[in-house]
Amino acid sequence: MAEGPSDEDAGRERPPDWQSPSDAPHNEPPPQYGPPAQYGRPPQYGQPQYGQPQYGPPQYGPQYGQPPPGDQPPPAYAPPPGYQQPAYQQPGYPPPGQPQYSVPAWSPPPADKPGVIPLRPLAVGEVLDGAFASIRQNPKALLGLSFVVVLIGQLLILVLNLESRGASTGARLGAAAATSAVSLLQSSIVTGAIIIVIGEAVLGTRLPAGEALNRLRGRIWRLVGLSLLVGLLSVFGLALVFIGAIWVFVMLIFATPVFVLEKTTVGQAISRSRELVRGAWWRTFGIAALGYIVAVVIGGIIQLPFALIAARSAGLFTTTPSADISAGGEVLLTIGRIIGGTFTTPILAGTIALMYVDRRMRREGLDLALAQTARERRSQS
C-alpha cells in the first residue's frame, strides 16, 4: 500500500512536469519500465524501512520466508489452475505462420550400378568389395584365367628349381634370373587380362577369359616390358632410399590399367599414371597397401599347410636341418603357390583396376561416360 505524503512533504512544491496520465501529451515516448523518479520520498517495496531511506532496485518476485499479500495476483511464472498450453507452443509443433508439415531434406539420386560398383567416386571399402564381387560374378574367367597362367608359370619355375639343385653358384643365379623372368611374364599377362575382365564387370558385362586374352594379342610383350620398366624404376628408387622405391611404385601403379584399357604406348602409360596419382598419393598408397595385406593374408593361409609339410621334409623341425628342401617339398611349395596365386592375383589386379576407375571418376568424370555406355548396352540388348 502506498503511503500518503508526510508533513515534511506537504509544503514542497509539486514539480511542474509531474502531470497526471490524462494530461500527458500524446507525442511523448512510452514509459520506460525502471526505477521510479526520485521526487519526494521513494516508494518502499516489501517491509517498510525505518530510519534513512534505502535507495535501490525494487524486489520483484515472491519473497521467501514471508507469505505474499492475499490481494496480489499469483507469480507470473506459475500458470493458473486448469491452464493448458496451446498446441502451437508445444514441443515439436511449428510456430504460428509456419507450414504445418515438414519438408524432407534433398539428397542426390542413387548412383547407377550396372555392374560390381556404383558409378560414382568410391569409398575404400567399396574398392575392395568390388574386387571380391568381380570374382563372385565371373569366377570362371577370373579364377580360371589366373589358375591357368599361374600353373604354367609355376611349373616352369619348379623345373628350374629342380634342375639347379646341387649346381654351382653361377648356375643357381642363372636359374634365379630365369625364375624371375617367368614370374614377370606370368604376372604381366594375368594382371592385364584380369584388368580387362574387371573393366567390363564395371559395366555389368561378363567377359570370357579367351576374349580378354584376345584383346591382349600383339601387346603382350610391350605389357611385359612395361612391367619390367616399372620394376626397374622401383629398384632405382630403392637404391636411393626405401621410401623412394615406394613413392615410385605408387606413382606408376596405374601404368598397366592405362596401357590395357586406354591402349596407349609404354611411355604414355607411365606419364598418364603419374598424372592420375598426382594429388592423391596417400589415398592410392593406403588402398593399395590394404589390398596387398588382404591378398597376402589369404595367400598365406592357403600356402601355410604346404609350407609346413615342405619344412618338415627338410628337417627344419629337427636338430639337424637339411640345407635344401627335397624334391617332394619343392612340389608341395609349388602346389601351394599355384592355389594361393589363383586367388590372390585377381584380388590384387582387381584392386588396382578399381582404384584406376575410381581415380578417373574423381578426376575426369568417367562415371558419366560409363553410365551412358551401360544405358546404350541395355537398350541394345
Side-chain angles (χ1 to χ4, degrees):
M1 298 294 293
E3 297 181 0
S6 63
D7 297 338
E8 182 183 352
D9 299 329
R12 181 173 296 178
E13 183 181 358
R14 184 180 182 182
D17 57 347
W18 191 1
Q19 301 176 354
S20 63
S22 60
D23 298 333
H26 297 287
N27 57 356
E28 291 184 359
Q32 302 296 323
Y33 294 95
Q38 298 183 9
Y39 291 107
R41 179 179 296 174
Q44 303 297 323
Y45 299 93
Q47 291 289 337
Q49 304 292 329
Y50 299 96
Q52 186 177 2
Q54 302 295 324
Y55 298 95
Q59 303 296 325
Y60 300 100
Q63 301 298 318
Y64 298 97
Q66 298 178 3
D71 58 346
Q72 294 184 359
Y77 52 80
Y83 172 80
Q84 293 183 356
Q85 188 179 17
Y88 64 84
Q89 294 181 358
Q90 296 178 2
Y93 197 90
Q98 297 294 330
Q100 306 299 314
Y101 56 86
S102 60
V103 180
W106 180 87
S107 59
D112 192 11
K113 188 179 179 181
V116 294
I117 58 171
L119 298 181
R120 56 167 173 74
L122 305 176
V124 176
E126 290 175 326
V127 174
L128 298 178
D129 182 70
F132 286 97
S134 302
I135 298 175
R136 293 193 301 266
Q137 177 182 335
N138 198 357
K140 184 178 180 180
L142 293 179
L143 297 181
L145 177 64
S146 178
F147 174 76
V148 172
V149 177
V150 172
L151 174 64
I152 296 174
Q154 289 299 320
L155 289 179
L156 292 176
I157 293 174
L158 175 62
V159 171
L160 292 173
N161 290 336
L162 293 178
E163 290 294 331
S164 62
R165 292 173 58 84
S168 61
T169 303
R172 292 194 175 191
L173 291 177
T179 299
S180 300
V182 172
S183 299
L184 177 64
L185 178 64
Q186 160 199 310
S187 175
S188 302
I189 295 175
V190 70
T191 301
I194 288 175
I195 288 175
I196 292 176
V197 174
I198 294 182
E200 291 292 335
V202 171
L203 299 175
T205 304
R206 296 185 179 184
L207 188 69
E211 178 62 24
L213 292 173
N214 188 43
R215 293 187 183 184
L216 287 176
R217 182 178 299 175
R219 296 169 58 84
I220 291 180
W221 290 113
R222 282 183 289 175
L223 178 60
V224 174
L226 174 63
S227 300
L228 178 61
L229 181 59
V230 171
L232 292 177
L233 291 175
S234 300
V235 171
F236 177 74
L238 182 61
L240 299 176
V241 62
F242 179 72
I243 298 178
I246 298 177
W247 183 86
V248 172
F249 177 79
V250 173
M251 291 297 293
L252 303 180
I253 196 171
F254 295 145
T256 299
V258 168
F259 180 82
V260 171
L261 298 178
E262 300 183 21
K263 297 182 179 180
T264 63
T265 63
V266 173
Q268 291 172 345
I270 292 178
S271 176
R272 180 127 170 81
S273 177
R274 294 174 58 247
E275 178 184 354
L276 290 174
V277 177
R278 186 179 295 115
W281 190 94
W282 284 107
R283 173 181 171 84
T284 305
F285 168 75
I287 300 177
L290 184 59
Y292 180 78
I293 292 173
V294 171
V296 167
V297 170
I298 294 176
I301 293 174
I302 294 175
Q303 298 181 39
L304 181 60
F306 301 95
L308 291 177
I309 297 175
R312 184 177 180 181
S313 67
L316 296 180
F317 300 124
T318 62
T319 56
T320 57
S322 175
D324 293 326
I325 299 177
S326 63
E330 290 283 357
V331 172
L332 288 173
L333 290 177
T334 301
I335 295 174
R337 286 194 292 263
I338 292 173
I339 299 176
T342 300
F343 289 93
T344 58
T345 304
I347 296 174
L348 290 173
T351 301
I352 295 174
L354 295 179
M355 287 168 56
Y356 161 80
V357 174
D358 170 67
R359 188 57 188 156
R360 287 201 59 188
M361 288 192 296
R362 292 175 179 271
R363 186 182 180 94
E364 302 172 353
L366 181 64
D367 49 338
L368 303 178
L370 293 178
Q372 179 64 26
T373 303
R375 286 192 293 267
E376 293 175 355
R377 290 187 179 184
R378 285 196 296 264
S379 62
Q380 294 174 1
S381 60

